[in-house]
Amino acid sequence: MLITPKILPELIQAIITDIEANAEVVTELDRILGDGDHVINLQRGLNAVAAKVADLSELEWSTAWQQIGMLLMSTMGGASGSLFGTFFLALSKVNNNNTVTQAAFAQAFMQAVTKVKQRGKAEAGEKTMLDVLIPVAEHLQHNSQANISLTNTLIQVITVAETGVESTREMLATKGRASYLGERSLGRLDAGAKTSQLIINTIATTLQAHIT
Ligand code: ADP
Ligand code: MG
């Protein structure tokens, strides 16, 4: 089954709804560990994408991802704005040819995560969004090499992202604003890891409904 950018209006709406439903909890995380603006930054970016989504849905994936990256970069603000923007700009370098295979997507996703690591000068284990994005990238790559079906991959990725965000709870923040807190950053989830997990969960759930 071919997934085209025609799915974008439904996907963006589902993500907006899900972030709204979790806004208070995530804002509280960023209020304690950062400055409390992460959800507002993200919502500003999502609304900018939503405003253009009819046009985006007419494009090919690589161009759509490029435009989403530029929109997030120019509207979101915060550390997360430049990092999410970087992610989608790098994703747009996917080997396109009109259809994006699972293997090409997995490779592009891994490259996008590598760009985010470079941009933020961060690695796994520093209590950031990377603690969700890195394990998901590795899982996608593993599954594409092992020829695991899209249906099973979507189910697994939901769990991998949940494990990833949970892993940030006992991590010491060494990057971003939370790093100023030192040991006091322990015991709570990272806000950017939480929104990354929510977005991945919503995308995987929406895609599941389309392929079954
Ligand atoms: P800001 O920290 O500038 O207020 P946001 O609140 O929007 O920006 O985003 C904070 C989130 O960004 C953090 O929860 C973390 O997941 C992520 N983050 C911050 N710095 C980095 C970094 N260097 N590398 C990866 N992710 C980071
Ligand atoms: Mg913040």
Side-chain angles (χ1 to χ4, degrees), residues 30 35 37-38 41 77-80 83 120 122 127-130 175-177 190-193:
D30 190 44
D35 55 356
D37 62 350
H38 178 59
N41 290 340
S80 62
L83 296 169
K127 202 180 182 92
T128 71
M129 59 174 71
L130 286 168
K175 288 280 150 43
R177 292 180 198 279
D190 171 65

Side-chain angles (χ1 to χ4, degrees), residues 38-205:
H38 178 59
V39 172
I40 291 169
N41 290 340
L42 181 55
Q43 287 178 326
R44 199 181 309 116
L46 288 170
N47 289 336
V49 174
K52 294 269 164 68
V53 80
D55 292 343
L56 293 171
S57 69
E58 299 296 327
L59 304 170
E60 290 177 1
W61 276 121
S62 66
T63 330
W65 285 327
Q66 184 193 35
Q67 297 205 4
I68 289 170
M70 289 192 303
L71 280 168
L72 296 180
M73 198 69 104
S74 61
T75 61
M76 262 185 78
S80 62
S82 90
L83 296 169
F84 283 150
T86 297
F87 181 89
F88 282 98
L89 286 177
L91 198 61
S92 77
K93 306 281 192 293
V94 66
N95 186 1
N96 200 3
N97 299 330
N98 283 326
T99 57
V100 180
T101 62
Q102 248 175 282
F105 182 77
Q107 199 188 351
F109 194 99
M110 182 59 92
Q111 278 167 11
V113 172
T114 302
K115 290 283 182 209
V116 172
K117 285 162 88 173
Q118 288 167 355
R119 177 94 188 200
K121 299 186 176 57
E123 289 292 333
E126 296 197 88
K127 202 180 182 92
T128 71
M129 59 174 71
L130 286 168
D131 295 306
V132 169
L133 297 177
I134 292 172
V136 167
E138 287 171 347
H139 199 80
L140 289 175
Q141 201 156 58
H142 167 272
N143 278 14
S144 88
Q145 281 156 7
N147 273 320
I148 311 279
S149 72
L150 181 58
T151 310
N152 286 334
T153 299
L154 291 172
I155 295 168
Q156 291 165 12
V157 150
I158 289 174
T159 311
V160 171
E162 281 169 357
T163 308
V165 66
E166 194 51 46
S167 77
T168 66
R169 192 184 297 281
E170 294 311 324
M171 285 177 187
L172 200 61
T174 45
K175 288 280 150 43
R177 292 180 198 279
S179 62
Y180 309 142
L181 288 176
E183 301 253 319
R184 282 181 293 143
S185 67
L186 293 174
R188 290 192 180 80
L189 302 178
D190 171 65
K194 184 62 196 170
T195 55
S196 299
Q197 178 262 322
L198 289 170
I199 292 168
I200 288 166
N201 181 73
T202 305
I203 293 173
T205 309

